[in-house]
Amino acid sequence: MFHTATLLSNGKVLLTGGLAVGGLSSAEIYDPVTGNFTATGNMTTGRYYHTATLLPNGKVLVVGGGGILASAELYDPATGLFTVTGSPLTAMKYYHAATLLPNGKVLITGGVGVGVVLASAELYDPATGLFTATGSMTSQRMLHTATLLPNGKVLVTGGLLVSGLGAIASAELYDPTTGVFTPTGSMATPRRYHTVTLLLNGSVLIAGGEDTVVSLVNAEVFQ
């Protein structure tokens, strides 16, 4: 549990890490043609609550994880191996969000650092293998979502301000051209652990999740 599943360019699915007794470093590949799972190279460290993002070059960027891992690595489907890449700037991260931008960089937002929920954000550049700071969010967030919109901006919704407290309803937009986050309309319901789906008409469906300790069955649309 708490692993990731990433669709690769070849149509197979990469599964990484998860929680057993501590974080798992193992990874495997699911082949939809055969319906079988096969082992692939292990990650350089055990991870759970991490993110795994498919890059335009076909590699997968794996960032952070439980235990506040300030590390990242790349999976190469051509070799089946993971290799270390540049580390995030903040001692972090888990419960963060990772979003592939149109320019090929990956936006990392929020999450949990050392005893604090973060408002900071940073960018990973596959061309250099480095993370650099970008503008901070207007709110601290963990367990939030970050969704690329058709106009190139990123919609960040909900989450938690402080671990153990109730969910928040606020939302904001990140503009990659300026590196700035600005508030946008709040959700009708505070949410964490929710799902977000970009619809064909450009609207965003926000569904379920939790408000404090209550599981939600309602949904709403951002337009």
Side-chain angles (χ1 to χ4, degrees):
M1 62 180 181
F2 307 134
H3 59 287
T4 62
T6 307
L7 180 64
L8 303 177
S9 302
N10 60 11
K12 297 180 180 181
V13 180
L14 172 69
L15 288 85
T16 63
L19 181 62
V21 180
L24 298 172
S25 61
S26 58
E28 49 193 292
I29 297 291
Y30 174 75
D31 186 343
V33 175
T34 63
N36 294 327
F37 291 85
T38 56
T40 188
N42 286 347
M43 293 186 291
T44 62
T45 187
R47 300 179 190 271
Y48 59 98
Y49 295 141
H50 53 293
T51 57
T53 307
L54 180 67
L55 302 176
N57 62 10
K59 296 182 180 181
V60 177
L61 173 68
V62 181
V63 178
I68 314 179
L69 297 175
S71 66
E73 50 192 294
L74 292 169
Y75 175 76
D76 188 345
T79 63
L81 299 177
F82 289 86
T83 56
V84 173
T85 188
S87 294
L89 303 177
T90 309
M92 62 175 184
K93 291 195 164 173
Y94 64 99
Y95 292 148
H96 57 285
T99 310
L100 179 66
L101 301 178
N103 61 10
K105 296 181 180 180
V106 179
L107 174 68
I108 308 292
T109 54
V112 177
V114 181
V116 64
V117 178
L118 302 168
S120 59
E122 48 193 283
L123 295 169
Y124 175 80
D125 187 345
T128 63
L130 299 176
F131 289 83
T132 56
T134 188
S136 290
M137 295 185 291
T138 62
S139 174
Q140 297 167 282
R141 296 180 192 271
M142 59 180 277
L143 297 173
H144 57 291
T145 63
T147 307
L148 180 66
L149 301 178
N151 62 8
K153 295 183 179 181
V154 177
L155 172 67
V156 181
T157 64
L160 293 179
L161 291 172
V162 180
S163 181
L165 296 184
I168 57 177
S170 65
E172 51 192 292
L173 291 169
Y174 174 75
D175 187 341
T177 62
T178 62
V180 174
F181 289 86
T182 55
T184 189
S186 292
M187 296 184 292
T189 304
R191 300 176 191 271
R192 60 179 178 177
Y193 290 122
H194 51 293
T195 64
V196 174
T197 306
L198 181 64
L199 304 179
L200 294 178
N201 64 3
S203 299
V204 178
L205 175 66
I206 303 166
E210 288 183 350
D211 174 7
T212 310
V213 295
V214 178
S215 295
L216 301 170
V217 297
N218 62 348
E220 52 192 290
V221 173
F222 175 84
Q223 295 178 314

